[in-house]
């Protein structure tokens, strides 16, 4: 079972175990939370994963000490995600130990070996210009990892709010892919 599947199973979507593949249920991840009220609202709205940004260059940066009380508000079926951009190993360990994140999301130039070195499941953000580019970019990361397709921006490592244009991609890849870019009513 992958790291996000407990949240999906809670919503009625069991992982595929047999030869027949079922569609993966919608799984919603909301990132950049900085206030307890927003965490509570995201949980009440049905979010499955909540992301806390530990990149000091972000306008939505929180310290592990700031994130810890917000993460303690989460019910067991909502997963706390630590978001990083080219962090030191000590910064990642601090977010795990102090804040209690249970999934690591990397947005920089981190290697797969670095991402996997913490004993906590990892997700790699792939900054791409087209959704079809994810297939090539995904080859550097283990097949059991969740990936995040994020719109390329030369100045930002994520959080642009821009969605990638829909394209047909490999079904197995699609099952482990999150799409970044906001949740406007017309796409939800």
């Amino acid at each position: 079972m992958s790291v996000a599947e407990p949240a999906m199973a809670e919503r009625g979507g069991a992982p595929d175990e047999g030869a027949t593949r079922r569609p993966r249920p919608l799984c919603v991840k909301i990132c950049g939370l900085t206030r307890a009220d927003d965490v509570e609202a995201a949980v009440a709205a049905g979010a499955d994963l909540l992301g806390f940004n530990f990149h000091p260059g972000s306008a939505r940066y929180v310290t592990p000490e700031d994130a810890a009380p917000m993460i303690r508000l989460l019910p067991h079926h909502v997963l706390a995600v630590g978001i990083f951009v080219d962090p030191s190993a000590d910064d990642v360990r601090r977010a795990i130990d102090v804040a209690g994140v249970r999934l690591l999301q990397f947005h920089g130039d981190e290697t797969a070996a670095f991402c996997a070195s913490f004993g906590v499941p990892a997700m790699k953000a792939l900054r791409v210009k087209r959704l079809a580019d994810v297939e090539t970019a995904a080859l550097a990361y283990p097949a059991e990892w969740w990936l995040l397709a994020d719109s390329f921006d030369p100045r930002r490592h994520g959080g642009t709010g821009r969605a990638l244009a829909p394209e047909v991609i490999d079904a197995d890849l699609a099952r482990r892919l999150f799409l970044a870019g906001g949740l406007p009513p017309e796409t939800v």
Side-chain angles (χ1 to χ4, degrees):
M1 182 178 291
S2 74
V3 71
E5 284 172 347
M8 294 187 309
E10 180 83 14
R11 299 179 78 129
D16 292 330
E17 303 255 341
T20 305
R21 296 231 180 215
R22 294 180 306 222
R24 185 178 85 183
L26 179 66
C27 187
V28 175
K29 184 165 93 41
I30 299 175
C31 293
L33 298 156
T34 60
R35 301 177 323 143
D37 289 347
D38 295 335
V39 168
E40 290 171 343
V43 168
D48 300 291
L49 298 94
L50 296 183
F52 298 88
N53 195 326
F54 298 112
H55 175 51
S58 170
R60 291 175 266 172
Y61 169 72
V62 292
T63 66
E65 293 79 10
D66 292 336
M70 292 185 278
I71 290 171
R72 285 194 295 270
L73 295 171
L74 302 182
H76 75 280
H77 65 277
V78 176
L79 194 62
V81 182
I83 301 167
F84 304 91
V85 177
D86 298 320
S88 71
D90 287 341
D91 286 344
V92 176
R93 284 189 200 94
R94 208 166 123 247
I96 295 165
D97 296 341
V98 174
V101 297
R102 295 176 25 223
L103 175 65
L104 308 175
Q105 178 177 316
F106 293 99
H107 275 262
D109 295 320
E110 306 90 357
T111 65
F114 178 84
C115 297
S117 68
F118 299 98
V120 174
M123 172 191 292
K124 182 63 175 147
L126 305 172
R127 296 167 56 207
V128 294
K129 294 180 180 177
R130 298 178 42 235
L131 189 55
D133 296 339
V134 169
E135 292 189 41
T136 301
L139 295 174
Y141 301 94
E144 67 274 9
W145 280 21
W146 290 98
L147 301 171
L148 177 101
D150 204 358
S151 294
F152 176 81
D153 185 300
R155 296 176 305 280
R156 297 173 69 186
H157 287 279
T160 65
R162 290 192 318 265
L164 292 161
E167 292 184 70
V168 174
I169 62 170
D170 176 77
D172 288 330
L173 177 59
R175 283 182 185 84
R176 65 188 188 114
L177 190 65
F178 282 84
L179 299 176
L183 295 172
E186 59 274 7
T187 63
V188 176

